[in-house]
Amino acid sequence: MQFGLWVEPEMVNPDSDLFRAHRDWILGPKDQLLGRQQMVLDLARKEVITYLYDCISTLLETYNISYLKWDHNRILPLCDVAQTEGIYVLLTRLRAAFPHVEIESCASGGGRIDFGILQHCQRVWLSDSNDALERSHIQHGAALFLPSLVTGSHVGPRLCHTSGRVFDMRYRAWVAAQRHMGFEMDPRELEPQEAQVLTEVTQWYKDNRDWLATADILRLDTADPSVLGEMQLAADGSRFVVFSNQLDSAQQILPRPLCLTALDPEARYSLRLRNRDEASNLSRGAPLLKSQDLQASGVWLMTHGLHLPYAMPGSIWVVEGRKL
């Protein structure tokens, strides 16, 4: 493990020495309403950029810090392109001086995710909600723009603090493993079975993250709107993984085939249901993947599709495929 620091450099509290010494450094009118007891520093001013650089660089030089979670929790009191240009200047200086430090753009979760900021950060945080069901929708939408490598996703606590819902560890872990995986919980709450599941899914992620980092995230059409389907295809087309996410109770009487995409129609592929041991007692059908690996052509997988076992709400089937 490496040490990281959660910072919010662009904010200032009116009850602070910095505010009292430099009231002219504040962005916007003096009588503005506070947000989270904060105001924003004016990064159009070079002296503000210099001050923040000196503060942060001193920390990075003094301590062995490998990661900065760069937050920004207050809405700007006015729109100013110079503010954006200023943060780019500051981040450029820090990246040049400390290339080993990974910076994540947080901003209340999703507030600063754009291709401009990605020139200066290695990772983005999509949302402060660690509710695995909500994250599934959020990640699926973000896949239109962001690869897995830069999209942070964490296994949250059993009881989600933003929704009050409780999800099985298998669901929480597999949702996080679809992107740049991490943990955001108190590990002391883990029961032995949860710890075992988390260990296994984390090991799967470590074993596959090299090729997943550059894989295409392909959003699959599903006949059942309660199913969210994704396929991550390796850059060289040699392998893939399919995540079939059962968001809610099925809206079809029987599980419907899940058609894959972007495969070589002439090639053959081997397929394995990675977590077949998680099948519910209600899964009484006999699709082949439930009991054995199979081989199929690319054209068959894209036109006929995969028959998966019955899935309970809040569960994910994980299918691994390799080109033969």
Side-chain angles (χ1 to χ4, degrees), residues 268-273 276 287-297 300-301 305-307 319-322 324:
R268 291 190 64 79
Y269 294 85
S270 65
L271 296 103
R272 173 175 178 257
L273 185 59
R276 63 167 58 109
L288 287 178
L289 278 173
K290 184 178 175 182
S291 58
Q292 64 186 71
D293 298 349
L294 62 84
Q295 293 184 15
S297 67
W300 190 90
L301 292 170
L306 296 175
H307 280 277
V319 180
E320 297 175 300
R322 287 182 177 271
L324 299 175

Side-chain angles (χ1 to χ4, degrees), residues 247-301:
L247 301 169
D248 202 347
S249 297
Q251 297 187 30
Q252 305 285 346
I253 293 176
L254 293 174
R256 302 294 295 274
L258 182 62
C259 292
L260 309 189
T261 189
L263 298 176
D264 179 351
E266 304 299 325
R268 291 190 64 79
Y269 294 85
S270 65
L271 296 103
R272 173 175 178 257
L273 185 59
R274 172 66 174 72
N275 54 338
R276 63 167 58 109
D277 60 332
E278 297 175 10
S280 160
N281 291 332
L282 295 178
S283 180
R284 295 169 185 160
L288 287 178
L289 278 173
K290 184 178 175 182
S291 58
Q292 64 186 71
D293 298 349
L294 62 84
Q295 293 184 15
S297 67
V299 68
W300 190 90
L301 292 170

Side-chain angles (χ1 to χ4, degrees), residues 54-232:
D54 290 343
C55 290
I56 298 168
S57 62
T58 298
L59 284 171
L60 298 179
E61 289 168 350
T62 305
Y63 304 102
N64 185 21
I65 298 172
S66 301
Y67 158 81
L68 292 177
K69 185 179 181 71
W70 194 293
D71 218 339
H72 187 302
N73 284 301
R74 189 192 190 282
I75 295 175
L76 294 177
L78 54 87
C79 295
D80 187 352
V81 69
Q83 188 76 5
T84 300
E85 292 170 346
I87 188 63
Y88 289 174
V89 170
L90 175 57
L91 289 171
T92 298
R93 289 185 62 185
L94 288 169
R95 286 288 301 276
F98 306 96
H100 64 285
V101 177
E102 179 177 347
I103 301 176
E104 178 186 72
S105 175
C106 181
S108 294
R112 188 184 265 162
I113 296 176
D114 56 77
F115 294 141
I117 201 68
L118 281 172
Q119 297 179 70
H120 307 282
C121 298
Q122 291 96 329
R123 193 174 189 262
V124 296
W125 185 239
L126 293 181
S127 172
D128 283 342
S129 172
N130 270 337
D131 181 298
L133 185 63
E134 293 179 353
R135 295 289 302 201
S136 297
H137 287 293
I138 295 167
Q139 291 178 178
H140 196 61
L144 291 169
F145 308 99
L146 300 173
S148 170
L149 179 64
V150 302
T151 307
S153 189
H154 293 171
V155 182
R158 189 182 306 118
L159 175 65
C160 178
H161 76 285
T162 59
S163 68
R165 290 191 286 202
V166 175
F167 290 100
D168 185 275
M169 173 55 78
R170 290 170 294 187
Y171 190 63
R172 287 181 279 148
W174 281 120
V175 169
Q178 293 176 48
R179 300 297 187 267
H180 190 172
M181 188 182 187
F183 308 151
E184 196 163 330
M185 69 172 90
D186 185 343
R188 294 173 297 180
E189 80 168 22
L190 292 173
E191 297 174 354
Q193 185 268 344
E194 292 176 318
Q196 180 63 30
V197 169
L198 188 56
T199 298
E200 292 174 359
V201 176
T202 302
Q203 188 60 55
W204 178 90
Y205 175 74
K206 289 182 176 181
D207 292 342
N208 291 276
R209 60 184 170 188
D210 286 347
W211 72 267
L212 287 172
T214 57
D216 285 335
I217 303 176
L218 306 171
R219 293 153 43 107
L220 301 177
D221 293 330
T222 57
D224 188 338
S226 66
V227 176
L228 187 152
E230 273 191 9
M231 174 178 167
Q232 298 192 25

